[in-house]
Every structure is written in C-alpha cells, then in structure tokens.
Amino acid sequence: MTVIEVEDLSVFAGATRLLGPVSFRIARGGVLVVMGETGAGKSLIAQAILGTLPGALSFRGRIAINGQRVDTLPAADRARLWGRDLASLPQEPWRALDPLMAAARQVSETHRHVGGLPVAEAAAATARDFARLGLDPGERRLPGALSGGMAQRVAFAAATAGGAPILLADEPTKGLDHDRQARVIGLLAEVARAGGTLMAITHDAQVAEALGGTLVVLRNGRVVEQGATAQVLQAPQDPYTKALLAADPSAWPVLPAAEPGDLMLRAQGLAVSRGGPRLFAGIDLAIHAGARLAITGPSGVGKSTLLDALLGLIPPDEGRVERAGLLGRHAIQKLYQDPPAAFPPFGRLETSFRDVARRHAAAWETVLGYLEDLTLSPTLLQRRPDAVSGGELQRLSLARALIVGPRVLLADEPTSRLDPITQKTTLDLLHKVSLETGIAVVLVTHSAAIAERWADEVLHLTPGHEKAEKAIG
C-alpha cells in the first residue's frame, strides 16, 4: 500500500524555482533516503509534506498520505496529522523542543497527550526511550543546556513518542559520534521493520547505505538519480552522484602542519562543569596564530563547553584562560552549532551582513568574495533565515564571522549540515584564510577523518576527561 505519494512537487521563492519537479512513492514498511548537495531542497520536501514551508515560499504539485490528498487541506486539518499520523524530526533539534520545559518532561508529555498513556506509563516509556538513546533517564535540564547531539536524541525521542507510523527525519545523525549514530540508525530502521514508513534526509552515504530502501539524489533542486539505495551507491550513474560518494572525508589529503606564530590564547589546568558533574579537568592548551586545532569526542562530553570557556562565556571551576594582549574585543569569534540562533529570525540576512560590515569597516566586496568562496549566491541575502537551508545558513554564519577579521575562530561543528563536497570547499577556505591572515581555528567536529586530515593537532575529549592527551601548539 502506498503511504506517501508525491507527484511533480516544486517549491518556489517568488518566481525562482528552488526545488522540483520531484515525484516518488513510499509504501508501508518502506524507506526513502534523500541525499544531495547543501541547498538542493532536501528539507523542502519534508516541509511540503508536513505543510510547514516558510511563508515566503510556495509550492505546486500533489501530495497524498494514505491515499488522501493533504496539499489541499486547510492548515488546521493538516496539523491534526502531526504526531499521530506522521512525525517530524527537523534539522534543527533546538527548534523542535520547548526551551522552557525539561527534556524528559517533553518526551513524557508526548507519550501522555499524543500517545494516550497514563502518567506512570508515560514516565516509564520516557525512561526506556532515554536508555535506548544513551541519555540520562532523569534528564532535567532545559534544551538550551544540552549539547547538540543530546538535543538531537531528545528531539528523536519526542518525535517518535506519539507512535506515528510515518517518520520524516531530517539529518537525524548529524553531530553524533559513531556509536550514537549507529544507535539512532538502528532505531530509524526499526520504524520500517515494524511496518511504519520512513523518509530520511542525510548527506552521509554510510547512513543511506545502512537504511537501504530507495535513494533520491538531488542537485540544484532537481533529481539527478533515483533507484534502489544499494544499487545507486554501488554503481552510481550520474557524475554528481559519483563525485558526492568520492568526496568522503576519509579520502581527503592530509594538510601540512602550520608554522606556529604568536601565542593567541592559553588555557592552564582548565576544569569545567555545566549544571551537573564535572565534564573535564586538567586541560592545557596553547593556541598560536595560524594553528588549526580539532576537538573531538562523544556527544555531551563537553566540546562546546570548552569553546565557551575559552571565549569567556562561562567561568572555569579550576584553572584559567589567558588572552594575548594584542587581542581586541572582537578578535575571538565563535560559530555556534545552531546557526539559526545566530541570526535575527524576522529580518533579511542582508541587514545582518551590512550591519556587521559597517561596524567592522569591511568592504561589501569582501562580503561578496566570501560568499563566492563558499559557493553561496548573493541572492540568499534577500531572504530571512528560515527561507534558506541549514547548510546555507551554516556557511553564511562563517562568512559573517570572517568579515569581522578575527584572530581566533572557535568553530562548533561548522560543517555538520554540509554534504562532503561542500564540507571540503568550506574547510579548504578556512585553511586558505588561516594561511593568508594567521587566524587560529579551533574546530569542534564529530568526524575523526576530518580532524585527522585537516587539523595540525587533535584533542580527543573523553567522559570525565582528566588530562589533555597531547600538548597543543
């Protein structure tokens, strides 16, 4: 039985076609995986099915769920399907969670009010969900205090707690270490094995291979290849699909180490806790001009917290952070893991860029140059943040940070929403800027391959980390 049917779907921003036409069917127990370049329109497909396209966008085409057209239904009728008939795991987990409600309570209330479980059974179901996902069953923190990977897993638990037979999962494994990624993939695959229907959006070929089913490859908003996932991955026909699969970070060349310049930032004996047990202690770092340091480790281990401590956003429990005297107020910039949070939600992107350029005396040609280097069209600046893809917004965040002219860039998962080709383009630009300007880059990544091939030095954090594993700088 066909559960989801999409026919000639196209999405537009004004007269500009962003996606389409796209057509596919997913049967009960079936899996559809959507891969492709950043900004190709992958998330737009899920938003069109749900009826949550941003107001500035429009669509054409036919969308049916269980044989009933939903694209013609009033918004209120489509909303009644959410949670019970189809569930969504959006690309930005913090946007899927109530910022003022504890994580466990949000999942428990979904079990109660959507799944219909009594209070005690809902609490028990939440505890089981958290245990399966490697989360603390007694999690009482607000979403803003969670790491990106933890928020991703809480959002997964909340999305599936209502028992909806259809799951639309947008980049469900980004920001997760290998073990937790495998756990989430197993839970996604279980949706189909249990007779449900899964549509998964990913830029990771390994995730696509593990989920199987049918694969759709998008580029520039159009389908370039479509077929059985195993067949497409093993014998791709389109040149773009071949390039996408060949661009895995494990195949990247190892960059030469940079010559250390002046000392920019030093941390000595750093120990930090964040509303709970101590995350790490005994961290000694010396970050020099032109250095490229990667920080890796499992989700929730404290990678983002370490960046915040280096920036001075949170005080350490022990130790100290020293900035070089030559560093001005804006010399250290941070790229946040949640790029939508870095932009005013209701204003055009161009307003933000022009404000920053004016404040830091950067020529508009410099802004346009960074956009070109990052393969971003200047026309994106005419939109609001919710009208561009997560990967586009991630690169826009980087461009805006670079026009400030920082001496140190703290980059928290700056390529997690990008396909491998765009990942390499973005990190190549950071390498180039580092060589030309001497900017030091501290890169948080869950990808060991990226860390090993891009960085001069790698610091691997482990739970309860007591000592840096190697001297840095």
Side-chain angles (χ1 to χ4, degrees):
M1 175 182 174
T2 298
V3 175
I4 300 177
E5 184 177 4
V6 172
E7 184 177 339
D8 293 330
L9 173 66
S10 294
V11 177
F12 299 84
T16 303
R17 188 192 298 265
L18 303 180
L19 168 75
V22 175
S23 300
F24 59 81
R25 295 182 179 185
I26 316 176
R28 179 170 295 163
V31 175
L32 178 78
V33 181
V34 183
M35 283 183 63
E37 66 182 348
T38 302
K42 303 184 295 294
S43 299
L44 296 178
I45 298 175
Q47 292 170 349
I49 293 172
L50 286 163
T52 58
L53 281 170
L57 305 183
S58 61
F59 78 95
R60 299 175 191 163
R62 180 178 180 275
I63 303 170
I65 303 292
N66 292 321
Q68 178 188 10
R69 286 194 67 170
V70 296
D71 58 280
T72 56
L73 292 177
D77 290 341
R78 295 189 77 172
R80 292 189 186 97
L81 301 174
W82 301 346
R84 295 176 174 84
D85 294 282
L86 71 163
S88 169
L89 179 60
Q91 189 177 63
E92 308 300 340
W94 284 288
R95 298 305 173 98
L97 301 171
D98 185 334
L100 302 179
M101 185 184 294
R105 182 181 168 192
Q106 297 194 47
V107 178
S108 181
E109 289 205 355
T110 306
H111 278 298
R112 285 180 58 199
H113 299 301
V114 182
L117 296 181
V119 174
E121 292 183 25
T126 300
R128 290 193 297 271
D129 292 341
F130 275 44
R132 287 190 306 163
L133 291 164
L135 292 162
D136 179 0
E139 184 61 71
R140 298 182 184 278
R141 282 181 285 177
L142 297 177
L146 301 175
S147 74
M150 293 169 71
Q152 185 83 349
R153 285 174 282 153
V154 171
F156 179 92
T160 56
I166 303 170
L167 177 62
L168 311 179
D170 194 348
E171 297 286 5
T173 62
K174 72 177 187 303
L176 300 182
D177 59 88
H178 181 269
D179 290 343
R180 289 185 171 91
Q181 184 181 84
R183 190 176 301 182
V184 169
I185 290 172
L187 293 173
L188 289 169
E190 183 60 32
V191 170
R193 284 196 295 268
T197 303
L198 173 67
M199 189 183 95
I201 296 166
T202 183
H203 65 258
D204 192 325
Q206 294 180 346
V207 173
E209 181 179 22
L211 293 175
T214 300
L215 180 64
V216 172
V217 182
L218 291 180
R219 188 185 189 195
N220 294 327
R222 296 186 177 275
V223 176
V224 297
E225 194 153 1
Q226 186 168 349
T229 299
Q231 180 179 343
V232 173
L233 294 180
Q234 292 170 11
Q237 300 300 305
D238 186 83
Y240 173 74
T241 309
K242 294 177 182 178
L244 186 65
L245 298 178
D248 188 89
S250 62
W252 294 2
V254 177
L255 295 179
E259 290 292 330
D262 295 336
L263 181 65
M264 296 285 105
L265 203 62
R266 182 191 297 277
Q268 293 180 306
L270 208 61
V272 179
S273 57
R274 197 166 198 167
R278 177 168 289 180
L279 294 170
F280 53 78
I283 298 294
D284 297 321
L285 299 176
I287 301 170
H288 294 261
R292 302 187 311 276
L293 164 66
I295 301 174
T296 67
S299 171
V301 77
K303 303 185 295 296
S304 299
T305 296
L306 178 54
L307 294 192
D308 287 344
L310 294 175
L311 188 56
L313 293 178
I314 56 174
D317 299 336
E318 297 175 5
R320 64 182 185 273
V321 177
E322 299 174 350
R323 296 165 55 124
L326 56 86
L327 294 182
R329 288 180 56 198
H330 304 103
I332 303 178
Q333 292 290 313
K334 182 182 177 185
L335 291 177
Y336 287 85
Q337 194 172 9
D338 179 29
F343 290 92
F346 302 115
R348 288 192 310 162
L349 290 162
E350 181 177 357
T351 302
S352 176
F353 272 79
R354 288 199 179 274
D355 286 346
V356 173
R358 186 181 308 111
R359 173 67 177 80
H360 297 279
W364 192 246
E365 289 73 19
T366 301
V367 175
L368 297 178
Y370 280 130
L371 295 182
E372 182 179 358
D373 289 339
L374 291 165
T375 64
L376 293 166
S377 170
T379 60
L380 294 175
L381 299 183
Q382 303 307 313
R383 303 184 203 167
R384 296 188 343 181
D386 64 353
V388 301
S389 76
E392 288 168 336
L393 203 58
Q394 200 164 42
R395 284 176 289 158
L396 288 165
S397 299
L398 173 58
R400 192 180 61 172
L402 289 177
I403 64 177
V404 175
R407 303 298 300 275
V408 179
L409 182 66
L410 307 177
D412 195 351
E413 297 280 8
T415 63
S416 61
R417 293 156 176 80
L418 306 181
D419 63 87
I421 295 174
T422 312
Q423 276 186 338
K424 189 171 188 307
T425 299
T426 302
L427 291 175
D428 282 349
L429 172 64
L430 270 181
H431 178 223
K432 174 188 172 186
V433 172
S434 179
L435 290 175
E436 292 176 349
T437 68
I439 183 176
V441 182
V442 181
L443 174 77
V444 166
T445 178
H446 68 274
S447 170
I450 288 177
E452 292 165 0
R453 285 157 177 78
W454 186 85
D456 301 329
E457 300 281 357
V458 179
L459 171 63
H460 184 72
L461 288 181
T462 55
H465 194 97
E466 290 294 335
K467 190 67 178 175
E469 295 180 0
K470 58 168 66 178
I472 308 300

